């Protein structure tokens, strides 16, 4: 809880712009499966109670491989609670956040982060 408060304080002072890559901040939870000029595909796994550090994703598509419940805290203090079933798909614009598994099951998702690739 104190880590979340400290991170939110940093975010409020403008550090959100400096939020890092989740593979750097939480390399124990994120694995790069594929990366090229157009996309980066990540696998994310965590356990109930796990909390990420403040990090940033460019626009992404999330595919839930298992059911889970998650709290997302944005730099402005907004809290979003989401519940996913296996097979759910979500699109999100670029986002900086702290994620917390608030459910009773592990999180297991595939994230496809968009990159600005060369014009077709």
């Amino acid at each position: 809880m104190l880590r979340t408060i400290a991170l939110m304080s940093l975010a409020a002072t403008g550090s959100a712009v400096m939020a890092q890559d989740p593979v750097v901040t939480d390399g124990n939870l994120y694995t790069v499966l594929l990366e090229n000029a157009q996309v980066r595909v990540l696998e994310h796994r965590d356990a109930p109670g796990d909390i990420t550090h403040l990090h940033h994703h460019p626009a992404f598509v999330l595919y839930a491989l298992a059911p889970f419940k998650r709290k997302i805290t944005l730099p402005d203090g907004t809290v979003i609670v989401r519940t996913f079933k296996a097979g759910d798909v979500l699109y999100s614009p670029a986002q900086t956040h702290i994620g917390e598994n608030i459910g009773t099951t592990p999180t297991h998702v595939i994230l496809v982060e968009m990159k600005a690739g060369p014009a077709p």
Side-chain angles (χ1 to χ4, degrees), residues 63-82:
Y63 179 75
L65 295 167
F68 65 96
K69 185 173 184 179
R70 190 155 204 81
K71 178 172 81 172
I72 302 295
T73 304
L74 304 178
D76 68 0
T78 300
V79 173
I80 302 165
V81 174
R82 292 190 171 129

Side-chain angles (χ1 to χ4, degrees), residues 4-120:
T4 300
I5 292 168
L7 288 172
M8 293 308 297
S9 296
L10 285 173
T13 62
S15 296
V17 175
M18 309 277 292
Q20 292 190 37
D21 182 331
V23 175
V24 173
T25 62
D26 296 288
N28 58 321
L29 304 176
Y30 287 91
T31 303
V32 177
L33 300 178
L34 175 123
E35 185 165 10
N36 62 33
Q38 286 76 40
V39 298
R40 180 169 75 159
V41 180
L42 302 175
E43 178 179 34
H44 173 81
R45 292 177 179 257
D46 69 19
D50 283 349
I51 302 172
T52 67
H53 295 88
L54 183 69
H55 62 276
H56 179 79
H57 295 280
F60 65 92
V61 174
L62 176 148
Y63 179 75
L65 295 167
F68 65 96
K69 185 173 184 179
R70 190 155 204 81
K71 178 172 81 172
I72 302 295
T73 304
L74 304 178
D76 68 0
T78 300
V79 173
I80 302 165
V81 174
R82 292 190 171 129
T83 302
F84 290 86
K85 299 182 306 268
D88 282 353
V89 179
L90 167 84
Y91 168 79
S92 176
Q95 185 180 99
T96 298
H97 62 246
I98 297 168
E100 180 178 0
N101 183 331
I102 60 170
T104 58
T105 59
T107 302
H108 189 195
V109 301
I110 300 295
L111 293 162
V112 179
E113 296 179 329
M114 310 303 168
K115 293 184 178 183

